[in-house]
Amino acid sequence: MTAMHSRATAADATATARAALTGVYGEAGVQHMPRPLSGSEDFGIYGTTAGYPSVFWMWGSAAPKLYGDTPAPTEVPPGIPGNHSPRFAPQVEPVIAYGVRGLRAVAAAFHGTEDSEQG
């Protein structure tokens, strides 16, 4: 899981999401992107306009064997289609369940509740 932020995303929102994701996936399972991504520069505007914090994150969705000996999990090897590609085909399981666990934890953290089904 990779916690990311945009320029309009509040630092405390990023910290809240990162802490919730770390609680689910552990320290080794949450990594910081080494450089910003430019694909969603308008993302933070939506939450800011509505008066809510904005945070987004990414998680792997391809079979680990496709990554081979990639030195960093934040680097996608050539040939693995991204989520905007018509060839994008994530592994349905465990990817969806894995992502939903993180989403539930972050939502619970922002609402000040505990997600009783984490684990």
XYZ file of all heavy atoms in Angstrom:
868
model
N 0.852 -1.151 0.000
C 0.000 0.000 0.000
C 0.899 1.214 0.000
O 1.876 1.251 0.715
C -0.853 -0.051 1.260
C -2.018 0.854 1.280
S -3.213 0.666 0.005
C -4.004 -0.852 0.406
N 0.570 2.201 -0.795
C 1.379 3.400 -0.889
C 0.527 4.613 -0.570
O -0.423 4.898 -1.277
C 1.971 3.539 -2.304
O 2.689 2.348 -2.607
C 2.882 4.733 -2.410
N 0.820 5.311 0.512
C 0.079 6.517 0.871
C 0.643 7.679 0.079
O 1.840 7.849 -0.016
C 0.194 6.791 2.369
N -0.243 8.451 -0.519
C 0.184 9.558 -1.352
C -0.620 10.798 -0.986
O -1.583 10.724 -0.258
C -0.032 9.213 -2.820
C 0.738 7.986 -3.223
S 0.328 7.298 -4.812
C -0.488 8.548 -5.687
N -0.238 11.936 -1.520
C -0.972 13.162 -1.257
C -0.828 14.105 -2.433
O 0.064 13.970 -3.252
C -0.464 13.838 0.017
C 0.995 14.144 -0.038
N 1.486 15.292 -0.591
C 2.059 13.408 0.354
C 2.803 15.267 -0.529
N 3.174 14.148 0.037
N -1.735 15.062 -2.541
C -1.615 16.109 -3.541
C -1.335 17.411 -2.826
O -1.425 17.495 -1.604
C -2.901 16.207 -4.367
O -3.945 16.719 -3.570
N -1.039 18.470 -3.570
C -0.693 19.740 -2.932
C -1.839 20.312 -2.121
O -1.631 21.072 -1.199
C -0.197 20.738 -3.962
C -1.197 21.074 -5.030
C -0.541 21.963 -6.092
N -1.260 21.862 -7.337
C -2.322 22.588 -7.639
N -2.777 23.468 -6.799
N -2.921 22.438 -8.793
N -3.087 19.947 -2.449
C -4.235 20.467 -1.717
C -4.698 19.528 -0.606
O -5.729 19.715 -0.014
C -5.376 20.733 -2.683
N -3.923 18.507 -0.330
C -4.274 17.538 0.703
C -3.631 17.946 2.021
O -2.448 18.209 2.080
C -3.783 16.130 0.312
O -4.365 15.790 -0.931
C -4.193 15.103 1.338
N -4.417 17.970 3.062
C -3.911 18.364 4.380
C -2.951 17.315 4.918
O -3.193 16.119 4.803
C -5.075 18.562 5.342
N -1.857 17.773 5.525
C -0.852 16.863 6.075
C -1.438 15.984 7.170
O -1.087 14.809 7.275
C 0.332 17.661 6.608
N -2.347 16.513 7.992
C -2.913 15.686 9.051
C -3.814 14.599 8.482
O -3.914 13.511 9.033
C -3.642 16.529 10.103
C -4.801 17.339 9.545
O -4.818 17.643 8.338
O -5.693 17.665 10.345
N -4.463 14.856 7.355
C -5.280 13.822 6.715
C -4.390 12.696 6.205
O -4.709 11.515 6.351
C -6.105 14.419 5.571
N -3.255 13.064 5.624
C -2.307 12.058 5.142
C -1.782 11.231 6.311
O -1.701 10.006 6.224
C -1.141 12.735 4.384
O -1.673 13.434 3.265
C -0.126 11.718 3.908
N -1.456 11.886 7.411
C -0.951 11.174 8.589
C -2.008 10.241 9.158
O -1.706 9.110 9.560
C -0.499 12.168 9.649
N -3.259 10.672 9.191
C -4.351 9.828 9.696
C -4.506 8.589 8.826
O -4.613 7.468 9.328
C -5.679 10.626 9.733
O -5.532 11.721 10.623
C -6.839 9.755 10.180
N -4.524 8.791 7.507
C -4.672 7.656 6.590
C -3.478 6.721 6.698
O -3.635 5.493 6.746
C -4.822 8.155 5.157
N -2.283 7.283 6.749
C -1.070 6.456 6.843
C -1.082 5.613 8.114
O -0.751 4.430 8.094
C 0.171 7.340 6.791
C 1.458 6.569 6.743
C 2.645 7.525 6.564
N 3.854 6.804 6.337
C 4.231 6.261 5.186
N 3.460 6.373 4.135
N 5.353 5.605 5.072
N -1.480 6.198 9.231
C -1.533 5.457 10.495
C -2.564 4.334 10.412
O -2.309 3.212 10.870
C -1.867 6.396 11.653
N -3.719 4.602 9.804
C -4.751 3.565 9.680
C -4.274 2.437 8.774
O -4.451 1.255 9.088
C -6.047 4.175 9.132
N -3.651 2.784 7.656
C -3.148 1.768 6.733
C -2.023 0.958 7.370
O -1.953 -0.262 7.190
C -2.670 2.417 5.430
C -3.764 3.063 4.586
C -3.154 3.882 3.453
C -4.730 2.022 4.060
N -1.157 1.609 8.131
C -0.079 0.906 8.825
C -0.652 -0.061 9.852
O -0.122 -1.158 10.038
C 0.883 1.912 9.484
O 1.430 2.746 8.455
C 2.018 1.215 10.210
N -1.755 0.327 10.492
C -2.408 -0.569 11.441
C -2.926 -1.836 10.787
O -2.977 -2.896 11.410
N -3.294 -1.752 9.533
C -3.805 -2.917 8.794
C -2.679 -3.719 8.151
O -2.634 -4.939 8.253
C -4.808 -2.474 7.701
C -5.219 -3.647 6.815
C -6.028 -1.837 8.321
N -1.759 -3.023 7.483
C -0.752 -3.701 6.663
C 0.637 -3.769 7.290
O 1.521 -4.415 6.735
C -0.642 -3.017 5.301
C -1.955 -2.917 4.575
C -2.497 -1.690 4.240
C -2.669 -4.059 4.229
C -3.702 -1.592 3.575
C -3.876 -3.973 3.572
C -4.389 -2.734 3.246
O -5.587 -2.648 2.591
N 0.854 -3.081 8.417
C 2.166 -3.061 9.056
C 3.089 -2.041 8.406
O 2.819 -1.546 7.313
N 4.185 -1.722 9.092
C 5.146 -0.726 8.593
C 5.683 -1.092 7.213
O 5.799 -0.241 6.344
C 6.316 -0.569 9.569
C 5.981 0.207 10.819
C 5.763 1.683 10.563
O 6.320 2.245 9.593
O 5.019 2.291 11.353
N 6.023 -2.352 7.020
C 6.599 -2.779 5.740
C 5.573 -2.742 4.608
O 5.937 -2.682 3.440
C 7.181 -4.185 5.864
N 4.297 -2.759 4.953
C 3.245 -2.781 3.939
C 2.779 -1.412 3.483
O 1.942 -1.312 2.591
N 3.303 -0.347 4.083
C 2.924 1.017 3.697
C 4.200 1.763 3.354
O 5.090 1.885 4.187
C 2.165 1.740 4.834
C 1.820 3.166 4.427
C 0.913 0.972 5.213
N 4.279 2.245 2.139
C 5.503 2.890 1.686
C 5.199 4.267 1.125
O 4.128 4.506 0.587
C 6.169 2.021 0.641
C 6.311 0.639 1.198
C 7.200 -0.249 0.421
O 7.761 0.143 -0.581
N 7.347 -1.450 0.896
N 6.160 5.141 1.253
C 6.022 6.494 0.738
C 6.499 6.528 -0.708
O 7.528 5.940 -1.035
C 6.853 7.456 1.596
C 6.720 8.872 1.171
N 5.581 9.604 1.402
C 7.575 9.685 0.515
C 5.739 10.813 0.906
N 6.948 10.889 0.367
N 5.763 7.206 -1.570
C 6.199 7.347 -2.960
C 7.468 8.198 -2.996
O 7.520 9.247 -2.358
C 5.116 8.016 -3.801
C 3.873 7.174 -3.966
S 4.159 5.661 -4.900
C 4.384 6.290 -6.534
N 8.485 7.785 -3.737
C 9.742 8.528 -3.773
C 9.622 9.873 -4.490
O 10.427 10.761 -4.282
C 10.685 7.591 -4.517
C 9.796 6.698 -5.311
C 8.519 6.574 -4.528
N 8.621 10.036 -5.325
C 8.406 11.309 -6.022
C 6.907 11.480 -6.255
O 6.163 10.507 -6.364
C 9.175 11.337 -7.336
C 8.793 10.230 -8.283
C 9.767 10.147 -9.467
N 9.535 8.964 -10.244
C 9.941 7.741 -9.950
N 10.621 7.525 -8.849
N 9.690 6.712 -10.727
N 6.444 12.721 -6.337
C 5.010 12.959 -6.550
C 4.546 12.463 -7.913
O 5.327 12.407 -8.857
C 4.871 14.469 -6.458
C 6.193 15.022 -6.113
C 7.208 13.936 -6.212
N 3.289 12.127 -8.007
C 2.682 11.757 -9.281
C 1.892 12.952 -9.793
O 1.228 13.645 -9.033
C 1.732 10.569 -9.104
C 2.365 9.271 -8.644
C 1.297 8.202 -8.480
C 3.413 8.809 -9.621
N 1.931 13.176 -11.088
C 1.244 14.338 -11.644
C -0.134 13.995 -12.202
O -0.848 14.870 -12.659
C 2.099 14.957 -12.745
O 2.299 14.023 -13.796
N -0.532 12.756 -12.165
C -1.782 12.337 -12.785
C -3.047 12.817 -12.102
O -4.100 12.839 -12.714
N -2.988 13.211 -10.855
C -4.201 13.604 -10.134
C -4.014 14.938 -9.425
O -4.404 15.112 -8.284
C -4.571 12.525 -9.118
O -4.914 11.341 -9.765
N -3.435 15.894 -10.114
C -3.152 17.163 -9.463
C -4.410 17.904 -9.025
O -4.370 18.747 -8.157
C -2.301 18.063 -10.356
C -2.956 18.485 -11.651
C -2.896 17.450 -12.767
O -2.171 16.455 -12.642
O -3.594 17.651 -13.759
N -5.572 17.579 -9.590
C -6.812 18.235 -9.181
C -7.556 17.474 -8.081
O -8.548 17.949 -7.554
C -7.739 18.434 -10.374
C -8.165 17.118 -11.009
O -7.534 16.074 -10.717
O -9.116 17.134 -11.787
N -7.049 16.333 -7.691
C -7.746 15.488 -6.722
C -8.081 16.222 -5.426
O -9.204 16.170 -4.946
C -6.903 14.237 -6.401
C -7.468 13.415 -5.294
C -8.508 12.543 -5.527
C -6.990 13.539 -3.995
C -9.053 11.797 -4.500
C -7.520 12.802 -2.966
C -8.562 11.922 -3.231
N -7.113 16.906 -4.842
C -7.307 17.577 -3.562
C -8.351 18.674 -3.590
O -8.930 19.027 -2.551
N -8.620 19.222 -4.760
C -9.603 20.301 -4.886
C -11.005 19.824 -4.504
O -11.774 20.576 -3.904
C -9.593 20.874 -6.319
C -8.231 21.521 -6.581
C -10.735 21.858 -6.539
C -8.004 21.886 -8.029
N -11.343 18.595 -4.811
C -12.691 18.085 -4.520
C -12.990 18.098 -3.023
O -14.024 18.590 -2.599
C -12.867 16.672 -5.083
C -12.710 16.622 -6.581
C -11.670 15.912 -7.165
C -13.594 17.295 -7.410
C -11.517 15.875 -8.540
C -13.444 17.260 -8.789
C -12.410 16.550 -9.348
O -12.256 16.507 -10.703
N -12.114 17.558 -2.233
C -12.324 17.553 -0.791
C -12.269 18.945 -0.190
O -13.077 19.306 0.659
N -11.299 19.746 -0.657
C -11.159 21.105 -0.144
C -12.433 21.908 -0.412
O -12.931 22.613 0.464
C -9.947 21.805 -0.795
O -8.780 21.038 -0.503
C -9.777 23.216 -0.284
N -12.979 21.801 -1.606
C -14.199 22.517 -1.973
C -15.372 22.102 -1.096
O -16.182 22.928 -0.685
C -14.534 22.269 -3.457
O -13.433 22.732 -4.243
C -15.800 22.995 -3.874
N -15.446 20.813 -0.770
C -16.539 20.302 0.064
C -16.261 20.472 1.559
O -17.128 20.212 2.385
C -16.779 18.824 -0.244
N -15.039 20.882 1.912
C -14.693 21.062 3.318
C -14.263 19.785 4.014
O -14.347 19.673 5.232
N -13.799 18.807 3.248
C -13.355 17.530 3.805
C -11.901 17.271 3.435
O -11.452 17.699 2.377
C -14.216 16.379 3.276
C -15.632 16.446 3.729
C -16.634 16.934 2.896
C -15.991 16.046 5.013
C -17.949 17.008 3.318
C -17.299 16.119 5.452
C -18.274 16.596 4.591
O -19.564 16.669 5.025
N -11.174 16.549 4.279
C -9.781 16.214 3.934
C -9.752 15.234 2.764
O -10.687 14.461 2.564
C -9.244 15.572 5.207
C -10.443 15.080 5.934
C -11.571 16.009 5.568
N -8.693 15.307 1.990
C -8.539 14.433 0.827
C -7.253 13.632 0.940
O -6.203 14.193 1.221
C -8.466 15.257 -0.458
O -9.587 16.071 -0.609
N -7.349 12.363 0.706
C -6.196 11.476 0.717
C -6.446 10.391 -0.319
O -7.580 9.945 -0.498
C -6.021 10.823 2.113
C -5.081 9.658 2.069
C -5.542 11.848 3.109
N -5.416 9.980 -1.021
C -5.563 8.809 -1.877
C -4.323 7.952 -1.756
O -3.277 8.411 -1.335
C -5.880 9.163 -3.330
C -4.765 9.835 -4.104
C -3.906 9.079 -4.883
C -4.608 11.205 -4.075
C -2.913 9.680 -5.630
C -3.602 11.823 -4.807
C -2.755 11.061 -5.581
N -4.494 6.697 -2.076
C -3.380 5.766 -1.986
C -3.520 4.757 -3.114
O -4.558 4.637 -3.754
C -3.325 5.073 -0.624
C -4.548 4.304 -0.248
C -4.815 2.990 -0.524
C -5.692 4.788 0.463
N -6.033 2.635 -0.032
C -6.604 3.719 0.581
C -6.040 6.028 1.005
C -7.831 3.852 1.224
C -7.260 6.150 1.644
C -8.129 5.068 1.745
N -2.454 4.044 -3.343
C -2.435 3.018 -4.385
C -1.968 1.709 -3.769
O -1.216 1.718 -2.807
C -1.470 3.434 -5.497
C -1.850 4.753 -6.141
S -0.621 5.323 -7.309
C -0.880 4.183 -8.657
N -2.435 0.613 -4.325
C -1.911 -0.669 -3.894
C -1.727 -1.548 -5.111
O -2.363 -1.350 -6.141
C -2.788 -1.338 -2.833
C -4.150 -1.764 -3.264
C -4.509 -2.971 -3.773
C -5.358 -0.987 -3.206
N -5.844 -3.000 -4.040
C -6.393 -1.791 -3.696
C -5.657 0.301 -2.788
C -7.702 -1.347 -3.787
C -6.946 0.736 -2.883
C -7.946 -0.072 -3.361
N -0.815 -2.485 -5.000
C -0.508 -3.367 -6.114
C -1.692 -4.238 -6.474
O -2.466 -4.645 -5.617
N -1.837 -4.498 -7.756
C -2.959 -5.315 -8.188
C -2.561 -6.352 -9.229
O -3.412 -7.006 -9.803
C -4.064 -4.419 -8.754
O -3.579 -3.681 -9.849
N -1.287 -6.479 -9.486
C -0.793 -7.469 -10.439
C -0.156 -8.626 -9.686
O 0.264 -8.489 -8.545
C 0.242 -6.829 -11.371
N -0.097 -9.759 -10.339
C 0.523 -10.935 -9.732
C 1.972 -10.612 -9.368
O 2.711 -10.072 -10.193
C 0.485 -12.113 -10.699
N 2.386 -10.902 -8.135
C 3.762 -10.586 -7.708
C 4.829 -11.136 -8.636
O 5.872 -10.512 -8.811
C 3.851 -11.221 -6.317
C 2.438 -11.242 -5.833
C 1.599 -11.494 -7.076
N 4.581 -12.267 -9.281
C 5.591 -12.851 -10.166
C 5.909 -11.936 -11.352
O 6.990 -12.013 -11.918
C 5.151 -14.224 -10.657
C 3.948 -14.188 -11.579
C 3.523 -15.575 -11.996
C 2.283 -15.464 -12.881
N 1.769 -16.750 -13.255
N 4.984 -11.022 -11.709
C 5.242 -10.097 -12.805
C 6.287 -9.044 -12.440
O 6.890 -8.444 -13.312
C 3.945 -9.388 -13.228
C 2.845 -10.276 -13.803
C 1.596 -9.454 -14.074
C 3.333 -10.962 -15.070
N 6.502 -8.837 -11.141
C 7.460 -7.835 -10.700
C 8.890 -8.351 -10.701
O 9.823 -7.572 -10.650
C 7.083 -7.309 -9.303
C 5.976 -6.301 -9.371
C 4.662 -6.695 -9.555
C 6.251 -4.945 -9.264
C 3.640 -5.758 -9.635
C 5.249 -4.002 -9.337
C 3.942 -4.414 -9.528
O 2.943 -3.495 -9.616
N 9.060 -9.658 -10.739
C 10.405 -10.219 -10.801
C 11.307 -9.703 -9.710
O 10.960 -9.712 -8.538
N 12.469 -9.214 -10.101
C 13.466 -8.711 -9.150
C 13.455 -7.185 -9.049
O 14.488 -6.570 -8.814
C 14.870 -9.186 -9.560
C 15.005 -10.695 -9.453
O 14.349 -11.271 -8.571
O 15.745 -11.281 -10.256
N 12.305 -6.557 -9.230
C 12.216 -5.105 -9.130
C 12.744 -4.677 -7.773
O 12.279 -5.178 -6.746
C 10.750 -4.640 -9.310
O 10.287 -5.122 -10.563
C 10.645 -3.136 -9.273
N 13.705 -3.745 -7.740
C 14.329 -3.367 -6.468
C 13.397 -2.646 -5.497
O 13.536 -2.784 -4.302
C 15.477 -2.459 -6.889
C 15.125 -1.988 -8.250
C 14.274 -3.055 -8.871
N 12.450 -1.879 -5.989
C 11.556 -1.125 -5.099
C 10.106 -1.411 -5.469
O 9.754 -1.386 -6.644
C 11.841 0.368 -5.212
N 9.265 -1.705 -4.491
C 7.872 -2.014 -4.797
C 7.098 -0.832 -5.365
O 6.010 -0.995 -5.868
C 7.301 -2.449 -3.446
C 8.223 -1.909 -2.429
C 9.560 -1.771 -3.085
N 7.658 0.375 -5.311
C 6.978 1.538 -5.874
C 7.344 1.749 -7.341
O 6.851 2.669 -7.964
C 7.301 2.808 -5.069
O 8.716 2.978 -5.034
C 6.741 2.716 -3.665
N 8.199 0.901 -7.888
C 8.568 0.987 -9.299
C 7.876 -0.133 -10.059
O 8.065 -1.309 -9.770
C 10.079 0.851 -9.461
C 10.855 1.990 -8.829
C 12.355 1.789 -8.957
O 12.798 1.035 -9.845
O 13.078 2.381 -8.147
N 7.073 0.244 -11.043
C 6.354 -0.747 -11.835
C 7.184 -1.083 -13.069
O 7.538 -0.199 -13.840
C 4.970 -0.218 -12.260
C 4.235 -1.247 -13.100
C 4.153 0.153 -11.031
N 7.504 -2.361 -13.247
C 8.301 -2.757 -14.410
C 7.555 -2.507 -15.721
O 6.322 -2.504 -15.738
C 8.507 -4.261 -14.208
C 8.196 -4.517 -12.786
C 7.207 -3.482 -12.376
N 8.280 -2.292 -16.801
C 7.641 -2.121 -18.107
C 6.782 -3.340 -18.447
O 7.106 -4.468 -18.094
C 8.811 -2.006 -19.079
C 9.999 -1.711 -18.241
C 9.729 -2.262 -16.875
N 5.675 -3.091 -19.102
C 4.814 -4.190 -19.531
C 3.645 -4.483 -18.609
O 2.745 -5.227 -18.976
N 3.637 -3.928 -17.404
C 2.501 -4.118 -16.502
C 1.559 -2.933 -16.703
O 1.916 -1.800 -16.405
C 2.935 -4.218 -15.028
C 3.813 -5.454 -14.833
C 1.712 -4.282 -14.114
C 4.317 -5.639 -13.425
N 0.366 -3.184 -17.268
C -0.548 -2.071 -17.545
C -1.112 -1.439 -16.279
O -1.456 -2.132 -15.324
C -1.653 -2.717 -18.376
C -1.572 -4.169 -18.093
C -0.164 -4.467 -17.682
N -1.198 -0.121 -16.284
C -1.742 0.620 -15.154
C -3.258 0.699 -15.207
O -3.893 0.238 -16.167
N -3.843 1.311 -14.196
C -5.294 1.311 -14.069
C -6.033 2.111 -15.144
O -7.237 1.974 -15.277
C -5.710 1.792 -12.668
C -5.259 3.194 -12.382
O -4.246 3.644 -12.884
N -6.005 3.888 -11.550
N -5.358 2.921 -15.930
C -6.024 3.648 -17.014
C -5.812 2.966 -18.364
O -6.248 3.486 -19.384
C -5.539 5.097 -17.066
C -5.956 5.884 -15.873
N -7.244 6.337 -15.696
C -5.272 6.280 -14.784
C -7.328 6.985 -14.554
N -6.139 6.957 -13.967
N -5.187 1.827 -18.365
C -4.937 1.086 -19.599
C -6.108 0.159 -19.912
O -6.678 -0.450 -19.000
C -3.666 0.237 -19.438
O -3.563 -0.699 -20.494
N -6.459 0.005 -21.177
C -7.510 -0.964 -21.521
C -7.074 -2.405 -21.256
O -7.892 -3.312 -21.217
C -7.759 -0.721 -23.009
C -6.540 -0.028 -23.510
C -5.963 0.727 -22.339
N -5.767 -2.623 -21.036
C -5.252 -3.960 -20.723
C -5.150 -4.214 -19.219
O -4.683 -5.260 -18.791
C -3.872 -4.138 -21.373
C -3.923 -4.098 -22.883
C -2.589 -4.392 -23.562
N -1.439 -4.411 -22.697
C -0.474 -3.486 -22.672
N -0.526 -2.457 -23.479
N 0.541 -3.604 -21.866
N -5.583 -3.247 -18.419
C -5.520 -3.399 -16.965
C -6.420 -4.551 -16.531
O -7.602 -4.594 -16.871
C -5.976 -2.098 -16.293
C -5.938 -2.138 -14.790
C -4.746 -2.283 -14.111
C -7.099 -2.001 -14.053
C -4.695 -2.294 -12.729
C -7.071 -1.997 -12.667
C -5.865 -2.150 -12.011
N -5.855 -5.506 -15.822
C -6.614 -6.674 -15.364
C -6.055 -7.112 -14.013
O -5.239 -8.025 -13.931
C -6.518 -7.809 -16.380
N -6.477 -6.455 -12.931
C -5.943 -6.815 -11.613
C -6.389 -8.201 -11.190
O -7.401 -8.715 -11.653
C -6.546 -5.754 -10.689
C -7.799 -5.343 -11.374
C -7.514 -5.434 -12.840
N -5.610 -8.791 -10.312
C -6.028 -10.047 -9.699
C -7.210 -9.702 -8.796
O -7.076 -8.899 -7.874
C -4.920 -10.629 -8.828
C -3.787 -11.235 -9.569
C -2.852 -11.900 -8.571
O -2.170 -11.231 -7.827
N -2.839 -13.216 -8.568
N -8.370 -10.281 -9.059
C -9.560 -9.949 -8.280
C -9.361 -10.297 -6.811
O -9.647 -9.503 -5.919
C -10.801 -10.645 -8.862
C -12.010 -10.429 -7.977
C -11.072 -10.131 -10.264
N -8.870 -11.462 -6.541
C -8.559 -11.862 -5.170
C -7.073 -12.168 -5.106
O -6.567 -12.850 -5.988
C -9.379 -13.077 -4.743
C -10.831 -12.760 -4.504
C -11.069 -11.705 -3.431
O -10.271 -11.609 -2.480
O -12.037 -10.957 -3.554
N -6.420 -11.616 -4.175
C -6.881 -10.952 -2.958
C -6.974 -9.436 -3.060
O -7.187 -8.759 -2.068
C -5.819 -11.336 -1.944
C -4.558 -11.327 -2.752
C -4.966 -11.871 -4.111
N -6.815 -8.858 -4.266
C -6.695 -7.408 -4.405
C -7.898 -6.642 -3.845
O -7.737 -5.685 -3.091
C -6.440 -7.018 -5.878
C -6.491 -5.521 -6.063
C -5.087 -7.558 -6.324
N -9.109 -7.035 -4.199
C -10.285 -6.288 -3.748
C -10.431 -6.366 -2.229
O -10.597 -5.340 -1.558
C -11.555 -6.763 -4.463
C -11.452 -6.399 -5.955
C -12.800 -6.144 -3.831
C -12.563 -6.955 -6.805
N -10.341 -7.555 -1.671
C -10.463 -7.699 -0.215
C -9.355 -6.925 0.498
O -9.589 -6.276 1.520
C -10.427 -9.172 0.182
N -8.156 -6.955 -0.050
C -7.004 -6.241 0.528
C -7.265 -4.736 0.541
O -7.071 -4.066 1.551
C -5.777 -6.570 -0.327
C -4.464 -6.061 0.203
C -3.749 -6.785 1.143
C -3.917 -4.883 -0.266
C -2.527 -6.342 1.612
C -2.689 -4.426 0.194
C -1.994 -5.164 1.135
O -0.790 -4.715 1.590
N -7.724 -4.206 -0.569
C -8.003 -2.784 -0.662
C -9.160 -2.345 0.219
O -9.109 -1.284 0.843
N -10.198 -3.162 0.290
C -11.356 -2.825 1.125
C -10.958 -2.780 2.599
O -11.435 -1.919 3.346
C -12.522 -3.802 0.881
C -13.616 -3.645 1.917
C -13.092 -3.578 -0.525
N -10.066 -3.657 3.023
C -9.586 -3.612 4.418
C -8.952 -2.257 4.726
O -9.201 -1.661 5.773
C -8.576 -4.728 4.683
C -9.226 -6.082 4.843
C -8.239 -7.230 5.065
N -7.156 -6.909 5.964
C -5.896 -7.299 5.771
N -5.564 -8.001 4.713
N -4.968 -6.979 6.643
N -8.139 -1.757 3.809
C -7.518 -0.450 4.000
C -8.536 0.675 3.980
O -8.498 1.587 4.812
N -9.460 0.623 3.047
C -10.498 1.647 2.946
C -11.336 1.718 4.213
O -11.613 2.801 4.738
C -11.395 1.364 1.738
C -12.583 2.299 1.541
C -12.122 3.731 1.359
C -13.416 1.846 0.361
N -11.718 0.567 4.732
C -12.506 0.529 5.976
C -11.736 1.141 7.140
O -12.289 1.890 7.938
C -12.896 -0.905 6.309
C -13.951 -1.488 5.386
C -14.150 -2.948 5.703
N -14.494 -3.082 7.124
C -15.607 -3.610 7.566
N -16.481 -4.082 6.734
N -15.834 -3.687 8.855
N -10.453 0.815 7.222
C -9.634 1.333 8.325
C -9.496 2.849 8.240
O -9.602 3.549 9.246
C -8.259 0.670 8.323
N -9.271 3.372 7.042
C -9.132 4.820 6.881
C -10.458 5.515 7.161
O -10.502 6.530 7.858
C -8.594 5.169 5.471
C -8.641 6.669 5.230
C -7.172 4.640 5.299
N -11.560 4.973 6.654
C -12.880 5.570 6.919
C -13.165 5.587 8.421
O -13.641 6.592 8.957
C -13.963 4.801 6.177
N -12.869 4.497 9.103
C -13.097 4.436 10.553
C -12.232 5.467 11.277
O -12.688 6.133 12.204
C -12.807 3.026 11.079
N -10.986 5.638 10.826
C -10.089 6.608 11.462
C -10.612 8.036 11.296
O -10.584 8.825 12.235
C -8.679 6.491 10.877
N -11.125 8.353 10.128
C -11.649 9.702 9.893
C -12.954 9.949 10.629
O -13.280 11.084 10.960
C -11.821 9.968 8.401
C -10.557 10.418 7.747
C -9.790 9.531 7.010
C -10.110 11.719 7.881
C -8.613 9.926 6.417
C -8.927 12.134 7.297
C -8.174 11.241 6.563
N -13.701 8.898 10.887
C -14.971 9.044 11.604
C -14.820 8.841 13.109
O -15.799 8.929 13.849
C -16.017 8.082 11.036
C -16.508 8.508 9.710
N -17.444 9.494 9.536
C -16.145 8.105 8.462
C -17.662 9.674 8.254
N -16.879 8.852 7.573
N -13.599 8.526 13.556
C -13.348 8.351 14.976
C -14.006 7.102 15.550
O -14.352 7.053 16.721
N -14.159 6.090 14.705
C -14.747 4.819 15.160
C -13.739 3.717 14.956
O -12.708 3.901 14.310
C -16.030 4.493 14.374
O -15.700 4.368 12.979
C -17.090 5.550 14.569
N -14.039 2.562 15.468
C -13.157 1.410 15.304
C -13.798 0.449 14.320
O -14.986 0.170 14.397
C -12.943 0.721 16.650
C -11.928 -0.399 16.566
C -11.630 -0.984 17.932
O -11.626 -0.221 18.909
O -11.415 -2.199 18.001
N -13.021 -0.056 13.388
C -13.520 -1.038 12.434
C -13.406 -2.405 13.078
O -12.330 -2.976 13.150
C -12.710 -0.969 11.146
C -13.271 -1.870 10.064
O -14.213 -2.627 10.343
O -12.749 -1.824 8.934
N -14.510 -2.938 13.554
C -14.490 -4.183 14.315
C -14.202 -5.411 13.458
O -13.961 -6.481 13.987
C -15.828 -4.370 15.038
O -16.879 -4.461 14.097
N -14.221 -5.286 12.139
C -13.991 -6.447 11.280
C -12.601 -6.468 10.669
O -12.354 -7.204 9.741
C -15.058 -6.495 10.192
C -16.436 -6.759 10.775
C -17.467 -7.040 9.720
O -17.097 -7.620 8.664
O -18.613 -6.708 9.928
N -11.701 -5.647 11.177
C -10.324 -5.686 10.695
C -9.631 -6.938 11.202
O -9.930 -7.424 12.264
C -9.539 -4.446 11.167
C -9.924 -3.193 10.448
C -9.623 -3.244 8.968
O -8.599 -3.759 8.544
N -10.521 -2.721 8.189
N -8.685 -7.394 10.433
C -7.930 -8.533 10.906
C -7.450 -9.414 9.826
O -7.488 -9.237 8.713
